[in-house]
């Protein structure tokens, strides 16, 4: 059997769906699989997944579908998933409660403030590279200790989506360096290891996972896992990582100055930098490969707003996009703050709220929908400006790149061209790349450029004026938003 007669599998657990891909060693996609799922929100500000019924059941269904479609032997598996998450588990790997998701879950606001005061904002920033926010795992561990002490007392393992799958498949309790570097303040960027003193302060009985890089082979599929998943026993499994970094890998964002913009349920941005650059308004993390680092930014909503509007208007995406495309830049005088679930970078304000300014009786669904697309584009421009420096190239990925309108608006608002790759299946494709690279196979030509979206200078000039007002709108409405957020969360009356 030659390498060309084999296939590799990549599977990713996303926020609203899980995806898998079967790939030949030259990057040719043989088969795809998808399973939608929902996010549970049992209380305002909470976002959860049940690890058994979402993460594992999705994985098993996709693995079986792809294994059945495999035209030749499967030689490697890569996994990825949403993160950073907190899935507390017992010593035998059993989940003790639903997983608490990444920055869209804002329950630990009080713990963020207290932990920052206790350890010191500057010490946290310099040691871990990132200020504490709703994205951080440490405050959620602290929240668990306070609010669910029985669960906390039984917690021995800290898992995320990718590491939970690896544990179920191989029996190995591991985590990749990138995911660990988002467990603030539990990871030390300078030593590339756990900040064991701060870990002991937060959770003294927690067994810390062994650290690897995303593309390292950490084990093989056990016989028991093979019987459940349909995958061959002994199949090598890589450590995996957070989905956004797997997706960046899938489109070749690996060199300093490279930027990936991910259009999904949330908008996420990764910029590769040559060295750690702590910034109080961004996340500084380990990269997907040893010796690389990232500046990352993430908006709390983007595709979530467009889907909400689609449901609110009882329409279809294609119809809304067609009508919004006929609306001129500026949405006929509408301006939207896209903070419908608070906001992550660069303002780190879970109590921020969405605003639609300028509404009149003459505005309709098309204008509001376009204003939502423009609002997320303004938010992206804000993040790119805070990141600073030059962009060597910007690659756009994710479901929101389908069709031309949203990506064109983003390029017009930011003034930045965006490259669109030929393969946009996402993080699962990057996970398959990790599996291939781990076996010494080259993936440099897996995903060539398909087209480039270039900004229109006239629209950019108009959007510059609107962007100035966008930046002024949040400070002008912040106090009101906080008042309303407190009422929504039942904290005021």
């Amino acid at each position: 059997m030659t390498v060309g007669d084999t296939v590799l599998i990549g599977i990713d657990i996303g926020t609203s769906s899980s995806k898998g891909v079967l790939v030949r060693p030259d990057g040719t996609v043989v088969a795809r699989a998808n399973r939608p799922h929902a996010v549970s929100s049992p209380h305002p500000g909470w976002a959860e997944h049940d690890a058994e019924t979402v993460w594992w059941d999705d994985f098993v269904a996709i693995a079986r579908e792809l294994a059945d479609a495999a035209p030749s032997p499967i030689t490697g598996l890569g996994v990825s998933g949403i993160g950073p998450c907190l899935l507390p588990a017992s010593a035998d790997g059993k989940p003790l409660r639903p997983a608490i998701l990444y920055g869209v879950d804002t329950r630990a606001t009080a713990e963020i403030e207290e932990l920052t005061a206790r350890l010191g904002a500057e010490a946290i920033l310099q040691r871990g590279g990132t200020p504490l926010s709703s994205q951080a795992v440490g405050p959620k561990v602290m929240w668990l200790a306070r609010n669910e002490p029985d669960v906390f007392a039984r917690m021995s393992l800290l898992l995320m989506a990718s590491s939970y799958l690896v544990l179920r498949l191989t029996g190995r309790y591991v985590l990749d360096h990138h995911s660990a570097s988002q467990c603030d303040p539990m990871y030390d960027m300078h030593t590339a290891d756990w900040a064991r003193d701060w870990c002991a302060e937060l959770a003294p009985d927690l067994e810390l996972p062994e650290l690897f890089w995303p593309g390292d082979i950490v084990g093989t599929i056990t016989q028991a896992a093979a019987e459940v998943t349909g995958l061959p026993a002994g199949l090598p499994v890589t450590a995996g990582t957070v989905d956004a970094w797997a997706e960046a890998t899938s489109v070749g964002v690996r060199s300093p100055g490279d930027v990936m913009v991910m259009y999904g349920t949330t908008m996420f941005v990764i910029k590769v930098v040559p060295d750690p650059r702590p910034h109080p308004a961004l996340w500084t993390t380990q990269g997907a490969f040893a010796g690389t680092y990232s500046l990352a930014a993430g908006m709390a909503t983007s595709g979530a707003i467009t889907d909400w509007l689609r449901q609110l208007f009882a329409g279809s995406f294609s119809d809304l996009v067609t009508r919004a495309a006929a609306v001129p830049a500026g949405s006929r005088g509408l301006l939207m703050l896209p903070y419908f679930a608070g906001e992550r970078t660069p303002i780190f304000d879970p109590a921020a709220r969405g605003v639609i300014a300028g509404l009149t009786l003459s505005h309709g669904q098309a204008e509001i929908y376009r204003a939502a697309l423009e609002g997320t584009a303004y938010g992206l421009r804000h993040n790119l400006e805070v990141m600073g420096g030059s962009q060597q190239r910007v690659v756009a990925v994710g479901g929101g790149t389908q069709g031309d309108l949203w990506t064109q608006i983003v390029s017009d608002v930011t003034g930045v061209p965006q490259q669109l790759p030929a393969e946009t299946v996402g993080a699962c494709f990057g996970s398959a790349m990790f599996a291939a690279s781990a076996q010494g196979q080259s993936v440099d030509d897996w995903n060539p450029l398909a087209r480039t979206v270039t900004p229109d200078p006239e629209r950019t000039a108009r959007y510059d004026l609107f962007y100035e007002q966008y930046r002024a709108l949040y400070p002008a409405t912040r106090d009101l938003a906080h008042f309303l957020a407190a009422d929504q969360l039942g904290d005021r009356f």
Side-chain angles (χ1 to χ4, degrees):
M1 179 181 67
T2 65
V3 171
D5 296 326
T6 64
V7 289
L8 304 116
I9 287 183
I11 297 179
D12 174 69
I13 309 297
T15 302
S16 55
S17 69
S18 299
K19 297 178 181 178
V21 65
L22 195 65
V23 189
R24 294 194 186 278
D26 64 358
T28 302
V29 175
V30 176
R32 308 166 194 258
N34 179 65
R35 293 294 185 280
H37 55 244
V39 174
S40 174
S41 184
H43 300 283
W46 292 25
E48 300 181 346
H49 274 165
D50 183 272
E52 295 273 359
T53 62
V54 176
W55 295 354
W56 182 244
D57 285 359
D58 276 11
F59 177 88
V60 169
I62 289 173
R64 284 194 164 277
E65 182 177 338
L66 293 178
D68 288 344
S72 49
I74 302 167
T75 58
L77 169 68
V79 296
S80 58
I82 50 173
C85 301
L86 169 59
L87 174 64
S90 59
D92 60 357
K94 293 294 185 356
L96 298 172
R97 72 171 321 281
I100 301 172
L101 301 193
Y102 54 100
V104 295
D105 185 295
T106 59
R107 73 183 70 192
T109 302
E111 288 74 20
I112 291 168
E113 294 177 358
E114 181 175 328
L115 203 50
T116 299
R118 183 194 305 178
L119 301 177
E122 187 61 22
I124 292 169
L125 182 65
Q126 292 306 318
R127 190 176 191 183
T130 302
L132 297 185
S133 71
S134 63
Q135 188 82 346
V137 171
K140 292 173 182 177
V141 172
M142 190 174 181
W143 180 93
L144 191 69
R146 286 180 166 175
N147 294 275
E148 298 179 4
D150 292 343
V151 172
F152 182 77
R154 291 183 288 143
M155 180 176 71
S156 295
L157 309 182
L158 184 158
L159 298 169
M160 297 190 192
S162 58
S163 62
Y164 173 71
L165 295 179
V166 169
L167 180 63
R168 291 289 300 261
L169 292 167
T170 71
R172 295 290 306 279
Y173 176 47
V174 305
L175 190 66
D176 69 286
H177 278 280
H178 166 71
S179 298
S181 72
Q182 292 209 53
C183 288
D184 304 288
M186 301 170 67
Y187 183 90
D188 191 318
M189 287 286 290
H190 300 284
T191 63
D193 198 359
W194 293 109
R196 296 182 186 275
D197 53 340
W198 284 356
C199 289
E201 185 173 340
L202 277 169
D205 297 325
L206 181 68
E207 178 186 348
L208 296 169
E210 187 177 358
L211 296 175
F212 291 87
W213 292 98
D216 291 340
I217 294 175
V218 294
T220 59
I221 291 183
T222 65
Q223 184 61 44
E227 292 173 1
V228 173
T229 63
L231 298 173
L235 184 70
V237 180
T238 56
T241 191
V242 173
D243 54 0
W245 274 259
E247 187 144 17
T249 298
S250 80
V251 295
V253 173
R254 303 175 190 175
S255 302
D258 286 353
V259 176
M260 182 197 74
V261 178
M262 184 168 69
Y263 295 71
T265 305
T266 65
M267 183 82 78
F268 204 83
V269 187
I270 296 172
K271 181 175 184 177
V272 181
V273 292
D275 46 58
R277 298 181 180 180
H279 193 295
L282 299 168
W283 301 304
T284 300
T285 72
Q286 292 282 6
F289 304 91
T292 66
Y293 303 91
S294 303
L295 280 178
M299 298 168 63
T301 57
S302 59
I305 298 178
T306 62
D307 190 50
W308 173 71
L309 288 173
R310 178 190 60 80
Q311 296 179 54
L312 195 67
F313 295 155
S316 67
F317 279 125
S318 59
D319 177 59
L320 285 168
V321 168
T322 298
R323 289 193 284 148
V327 175
S331 300
R332 296 196 175 98
L334 288 189
L335 186 61
M336 181 183 290
L337 278 183
Y339 304 156
F340 283 53
E343 186 55 298
R344 297 190 284 169
T345 65
I347 65 172
F348 286 134
D349 185 358
R353 288 296 180 265
V355 174
I356 305 176
L359 273 173
T360 70
L361 296 176
S362 66
H363 290 112
Q365 295 177 0
E367 287 84 3
I368 294 172
Y369 193 82
R370 185 180 183 104
L373 300 182
E374 291 174 345
T376 59
Y378 298 136
L380 174 61
R381 175 171 170 175
H382 190 186
N383 277 293
L384 290 176
E385 288 181 353
V386 173
M387 282 183 164
S390 60
Q391 282 83 42
Q392 179 171 306
R393 65 190 187 101
V394 176
V395 184
V397 300
T401 62
Q402 305 303 312
D404 299 329
L405 182 59
W406 200 357
T407 51
Q408 186 63 59
I409 287 174
V410 165
S411 279
D412 290 342
V413 166
T414 62
V416 174
Q418 298 173 89
Q419 297 179 0
L420 273 70
E423 182 53 70
T424 60
V425 70
C428 59
F429 194 66
S431 295
M433 280 183 167
F434 281 127
S437 296
Q439 299 178 18
Q441 300 171 22
S442 174
V443 297
D444 292 343
D445 299 325
W446 269 33
N447 202 359
L449 175 66
R451 64 188 180 91
T452 299
V453 180
T454 57
D456 178 276
E458 291 186 8
R459 288 194 294 266
T460 298
R462 178 166 173 77
Y463 279 133
D464 285 345
L465 301 176
F466 275 78
Y467 179 67
E468 290 180 15
Q469 301 306 314
Y470 170 87
R471 291 294 303 275
L473 187 56
Y474 167 67
T477 58
R478 178 172 47 209
D479 291 346
L480 173 59
H482 288 186
F483 173 87
L484 297 174
D487 186 54
Q488 293 162 5
L489 296 173
D491 295 339
R492 186 169 300 281
F493 302 113

